[in-house]
Amino acid sequence: MLAISLDLLAHRYKRCCSRVQTGQPDYTRHPHTVFIPQLCSSRFFHTSYVTSGPILPFKLSDIGEGIMEVTVKEWYVKEGDKVSQFDSICEVQSDKASVTITSRYDGVIKKLYYEVDATALVGTPLVDIETEPGPEVVHEEDVVETPAMSNDEHTHQEIKGHKTQATPAVRRLAMENNIKLSEVVGTGRDGRILKEDILNFLAKQTGAILPPTPFHEIQPPPPAASAPSSASMPKMKPTPSVQLPVVSRPVFTGKDSTEPLKGFHKAMVKTMTAALKIPHFGYKDEVDLTRLVQLRKELKGLSEARGVKLSYMPFFIKAASLGLLHFPILNASVDESVQNITYKASHNIGLAMDTSQGLLVPNVKNVQLLSVFEIAVELNRMQTLGATGQLGKADLTGGTFTLSNIGSIGGTYAKPVILPPEVAIGALGKIQVLPRFNSRDEVVKAHVMNVSWSADHRIIDGATMARFSNLWRDYLENPASMVLDLK
């Protein structure tokens, strides 16, 4: 009986497996048969079907500086998009900088957790990514390691061992046109991929003809003899010397509106609240920039031939750095209990900048090591990033001394507020053409600018601030004297 039962069981087992291979069990012939697929071993048949990988929550990493929340400014992906490692996911804005978040995984975006302008908390998921199946995908629940890249820094991508460098704007352009950066040859410094490289690569693929781009390499100014004569040049309609700003028409709704403070406005609340705990000392003076105006006029054409716009700010910043070498206490910081003072070796001089995002203060690093032209290059770069809202954490942190060019908007005097942990700041008024007496008591036309200084009166006395201001003014009123101290 036992042998018969075993034979019967084996017979039914084989019939079960054969029915699984060919289709559903034949319930008409065996109405009491129970279909149990677990009994059918993989030794007897093999099946192949499409499987999807695990869906992993992609968390917002700790981006430093004690930041616990950010505002989602822009999504570079949408649900259903396929992404690879190092592809841009979104741009977020903290109270200090804008940061581009890039993917850790290869896969498909399944869910976006936040709308644009929503507040995201550090450590919470940004998106869900359906990863490709494979043993290399590891889900780490408690570890937040999202790569975060500052917009100002030239971000790097490691693609199959090939290192590419490009700014977030360039990477975004490549992503929008489905171009792999590893296939583009960069013509920028150190092989950096520029916007023109993407456009040229796209033109080769599509056969489009692109207009020539301006040449920004350093070139000597053309000789005067090669300039066309005024008689041979066509007469052009004169353009107005002053461009009127484009002002949008105000919209009056007649209703009150309330919105939360966020981003840089929220940062200003914390910074200015801390700043006004500092006892400020004010000092004001005027500077005759007549010689500097003439010097800049002579150098402006040469600088533009090198592709760089030369304003007065590089001279103001360099003169401040030369003055800080003599008065290092103005390039210092104190701890919260005001028991220790730290003298900063680097002159990271900030420039208060009015942008569409509010007041930003990027700083030029190591001014003590830079020439006036190199400072101008940095200012051009920061102004471009500031206008497009792409200033990052590296540009906005680490400042040691600040100048605020309020004169670019208007006004003569100001009362600047110190930016902690710095201990001094200067506000520059507009340059005015005013009558002044020269050394022979003759009335002459002078280019005059007013400056307003604020200093931390807990560690800086009025005499120190006045002496620094006098030295800074002397450098600008006699710009040739700066040559003796330039390094």
Side-chain angles (χ1 to χ4, degrees), residues 15 91 104 119 150 152 154 216 230 244 253 275 282 292 314 336 423 453:
R15 292 184 63 183
E91 179 181 342
R104 283 184 61 193
T119 299
S150 299
D152 65 292
H154 295 294
H216 293 298
S230 58
L244 296 177
T253 62
L292 180 61
E336 292 184 4
V423 295
W453 302 103

Side-chain angles (χ1 to χ4, degrees), residues 11 52 84 133 149 151 153 167 175-176 196 404 423 434 453 470:
H11 178 69
S52 60
S84 302
M149 302 181 184
N151 278 346
E153 297 174 349
T167 62
M175 181 183 65
E176 291 172 349
E196 290 78 11
S404 176
V423 295
L434 300 172
W453 302 103
N470 290 342

Side-chain angles (χ1 to χ4, degrees), residues 8-83:
L8 180 61
L9 183 60
H11 178 69
R12 290 185 176 180
Y13 179 75
K14 292 181 180 179
R15 292 184 63 183
C16 171
C17 291
S18 64
R19 285 195 295 270
V20 172
Q21 288 179 328
T22 57
Q24 294 294 326
D26 191 352
Y27 291 104
T28 60
R29 296 181 58 186
H30 303 279
H32 301 291
T33 301
V34 179
F35 178 62
I36 305 176
Q38 287 84 351
L39 294 176
C40 304
S41 171
S42 61
R43 297 176 185 175
F44 295 93
F45 66 95
H46 298 277
T47 60
S48 62
Y49 45 91
V50 178
T51 61
S52 60
I55 297 178
L56 303 182
F58 181 73
K59 296 179 180 180
L60 174 63
S61 69
D62 181 2
I63 57 180
E65 300 289 333
I67 296 169
M68 298 306 298
E69 62 181 33
V70 297
T71 302
V72 178
K73 299 303 296 181
E74 183 179 359
W75 285 105
Y76 301 142
V77 296
K78 61 182 181 297
E79 293 181 2
D81 283 356
K82 188 174 182 179
V83 295

